[in-house]
Amino acid sequence: GAVARLAVRSESPPPRAARQPVRHRQRFILMGAVRSRSLLILAQLAASTAAALTTPGRLVLLRHGESAWNAAGRFTGWEDVPLTPRGEEEARTAAELLLTEAGDLRIDTVYTSVLGRALRTAGLCVEALRRNGRPPPPILPTWRLNERHYGMLQGLDKRDTLEKWPDPAALREWRLSFAGRPPPMAADHPFYSRSPERLAALRAANADGEPLRDEDVPLTESIADCVSRVRPFWENELLPALLDGSNCLVVGHANGLRALVACVQQNVDDESLPSLGLPNGLPLIYELEPDGSVRYPSEGRCYVPPLQAYYLGDACLVFNALDQDRSGALSRDELLDVCRASFDSIDGDGDGQVAAEELAAACGDELLRDADTNGDGLVNFLEYMAWWNRQKRGAAGTASLKSFDQ
């Protein structure tokens, strides 16, 4: 009997946990995996909900103040030229517009190219913000925001080149299309961008940014090349910062900012390219949705087509009053209103009446030629502002300009 009891005891089942069938253990493992997966999904939903609740920051684009070569009408590109006194004043005025017309906008970060005219503009803006009690944001230079490289055209007078270039169609293609690329500059070019001293200056200004290799310095570029250069900065740094709620000021150049606009809007083409240029020192503001698309339009703001961002200041309002067909550019007929507003300068014989011949002479081809610097037969907002600033410089205080300014 004792032997039998020992035999039965030796065959007794193992402890309860060890007796669980294999299928039960698998069920518990599966339930644990489902629970972990559910927690992960909930965490992801919470993160996406938080991201959706974050209001994106505003993107402020600002072309540097007038440079010495802007004033002289020369192709500038990557050449490092200083601001004029007027350009420095434009930078301060831009900061004033941000302080007075952008509501409670607080700039968190300033991005700029490594070229002196943009760096100086950024510095003047930040100093103006600081003087008005705003916290001074950091200035982060990057070579990816440099101006479009104009190749062998760099340094040439724009109007002379437009009038005398042996192949006008090619010149138009280089200037007014995304794909057009001027011939590259050679090593003996007077402003050769890869000379040792120019490379050293670029790297010194870019010291804390993405490393600049020799091959990163172009010898010519199309706007499309410029878009390819700017896009990594937009996708990897600027857009994430904006979606995280930071307000960012980007101080750049006419064509470099055109390239950035092409990244932001993604609906621009050759036809709209001339109207994408920003005037010197006039802030342009984009508002974004949580998914990164552009919020457009905002009530009470002034837009110049095809841009889906609004300008600060009164110049946009005046331009739109002249742009009767809302095309974003002024035709010859629309330019007649400029002369009608400057009545005294048109009334050549002083009889108090303006004959049709006098109106045509004052407001016809000569006015269009003076304002239309790219030769497309229209005057976009950039050209209009450049023309108007020339008039104010050349005839400041005249009755006709005062009447139009009013």
Side-chain angles (χ1 to χ4, degrees):
V3 173
R5 286 195 297 274
L6 286 172
V8 171
R9 191 176 301 162
S10 66
E11 295 176 0
S12 297
R16 184 175 183 84
R19 296 203 306 267
Q20 293 176 355
V22 172
R23 66 177 178 275
H24 288 181
R25 293 199 300 274
Q26 290 175 337
R27 185 191 307 161
F28 291 145
I29 292 171
L30 180 60
M31 290 174 63
V34 169
R35 188 179 300 113
S36 298
R37 177 64 177 165
S38 299
L39 291 173
L40 177 60
I41 292 174
L42 287 173
Q44 291 173 337
L45 285 173
S48 62
T49 300
L53 293 175
T54 300
T55 301
R58 281 179 277 179
L59 171 60
V60 183
L61 304 186
L62 178 65
R63 185 184 175 193
H64 61 78
E66 181 189 69
S67 73
W69 281 14
N70 288 149
R74 300 171 72 180
F75 291 102
T76 310
W78 279 52
E79 188 62 15
D80 208 359
V81 299
L83 295 181
T84 63
R86 178 182 181 84
E88 299 208 350
E89 185 58 32
E90 286 174 339
R92 297 185 185 96
T93 300
E96 183 66 22
L97 287 172
L98 289 173
L99 288 165
T100 59
E101 295 195 15
D104 59 352
L105 176 66
R106 184 190 72 180
I107 301 298
D108 298 300
T109 307
V110 178
Y111 294 100
T112 179
S113 82
V114 302
L115 298 173
R117 54 196 186 273
L119 284 165
R120 177 63 174 160
T121 300
L124 289 169
C125 285
V126 168
E127 175 59 21
L129 296 176
R130 186 194 64 77
R131 285 199 311 270
N132 283 272
R134 301 291 181 93
I139 299 176
L140 306 180
T142 170
W143 57 269
R144 290 192 178 275
L145 287 174
N146 276 18
E147 175 62 305
R148 176 236 188 134
H149 198 292
Y150 270 111
M152 68 177 298
L153 300 181
Q154 208 150 285
L156 297 181
D157 180 274
K158 291 182 179 180
R159 188 168 294 281
D160 283 351
T161 304
L162 190 63
E163 293 174 352
K164 300 175 183 177
W165 196 263
D167 188 349
L171 186 64
R172 180 178 174 81
E173 172 73 10
W174 301 337
R175 299 194 67 196
L176 300 179
S177 74
F178 274 93
R181 186 186 295 121
M185 58 167 48
D188 61 352
H189 193 285
F191 305 109
Y192 185 60
S193 299
R194 292 183 185 172
S195 67
E197 61 274 14
R198 285 183 173 81
L199 287 173
L202 289 168
R203 290 193 173 111
N206 188 64
D208 297 325
E210 178 185 352
L212 177 67
R213 305 167 299 175
D214 287 9
E215 57 267 31
D216 292 326
V217 178
L219 297 177
T220 186
E221 281 182 312
S222 64
I223 298 291
D225 295 331
C226 208
V227 172
S228 297
R229 167 159 57 83
V230 170
R231 190 176 296 281
F233 166 73
W234 164 249
E235 293 179 347
N236 301 330
E237 186 160 359
L238 183 54
L239 180 58
L242 292 165
L243 295 182
D244 198 38
S246 293
N247 297 310
C248 300
L249 168 62
V250 175
V251 182
H253 309 264
N255 287 298
L257 292 175
R258 274 190 175 108
L260 182 54
V261 166
C263 296
V264 177
Q265 293 194 193
Q266 301 179 350
N267 65 342
V268 296
D269 53 22
D270 282 357
E271 184 178 351
S272 60
L273 183 61
S275 297
L276 300 183
L278 277 64
N280 296 102
L282 198 59
L284 179 77
I285 300 181
Y286 277 99
E287 295 180 348
L288 300 180
E289 301 288 356
D291 64 359
S293 61
V294 178
R295 179 182 299 163
Y296 165 82
S298 292
E299 186 177 356
R301 295 298 188 176
C302 187
Y303 295 83
V304 175
L307 291 170
Q308 296 174 347
Y310 55 85
Y311 280 105
L312 301 182
D314 295 334
C316 174
L317 298 171
V318 175
F319 181 85
N320 282 343
L322 297 172
D323 184 19
Q324 298 171 13
D325 61 4
R326 298 293 290 135
S327 65
L330 304 180
S331 66
R332 181 181 182 278
D333 289 340
E334 288 170 328
L335 285 170
L336 293 177
D337 286 340
V338 177
C339 291
R340 291 191 182 102
S342 301
F343 182 89
D344 292 340
S345 66
I346 306 170
D347 183 20
D349 55 16
D351 62 358
Q353 298 182 11
V354 180
E357 294 80 6
E358 292 173 318
L359 193 62
C363 293
D365 297 333
E366 185 60 31
L367 179 56
L368 186 62
R369 177 186 178 278
D370 191 34
D372 177 26
T373 57
N374 65 20
D376 66 351
L378 297 169
V379 177
N380 59 52
F381 187 50
L382 170 60
E383 293 171 323
Y384 164 78
M385 288 300 298
W387 171 83
W388 179 241
N389 286 330
R390 288 197 304 273
Q391 309 316 304
K392 290 197 292 186
R393 280 200 302 269
T398 64
S400 60
L401 282 174
K402 284 182 178 178
S403 68
F404 181 64
D405 212 12
Q406 291 170 357

